[in-house]
Amino acid sequence: GAVQFYFLFRHHFGAGLGFNRLARIAVGGVLMGLIIYLLRDWNFFLIAAIAALFYGSFVWFTGAFSPEEQSQMVGFITRRLRSRIA
């Protein structure tokens, strides 16, 4: 859907994600899929946790998220942690 948006609607709605950010998200998804494939014999929940941690770290540190998106994610995680502790 994101690729379709980028190529078909970017002139009408604006740049959207931007090709570089979209490419980083796609590479992160492919690498996460490779990790899942390599760990396919492990426990499902452990694989899901490792894959999610890898994907999140990859897109965070490669700059696929804008500073605004990063602050939103930090706020979301902070709120969730506070609700679990309280």
Side-chain angles (χ1 to χ4, degrees), residues 6-66:
Y6 182 78
F7 287 110
L8 297 177
F9 297 113
R10 67 184 165 141
H11 297 294
H12 182 64
F13 293 114
L17 289 173
F19 186 75
N20 289 335
R21 292 177 64 202
L22 186 63
R24 291 176 187 144
I25 291 170
V27 168
V30 168
L31 292 175
M32 181 180 66
L34 180 62
I35 288 173
I36 291 170
Y37 177 76
L38 293 173
L39 303 177
R40 66 186 176 274
D41 295 329
W42 290 23
N43 179 289
F44 170 78
F45 296 105
L46 185 59
I47 295 171
I50 291 170
L53 183 63
F54 171 80
Y55 179 77
S57 299
F58 182 84
V59 295
W60 183 279
F61 290 112
T62 60
F65 292 139
S66 69

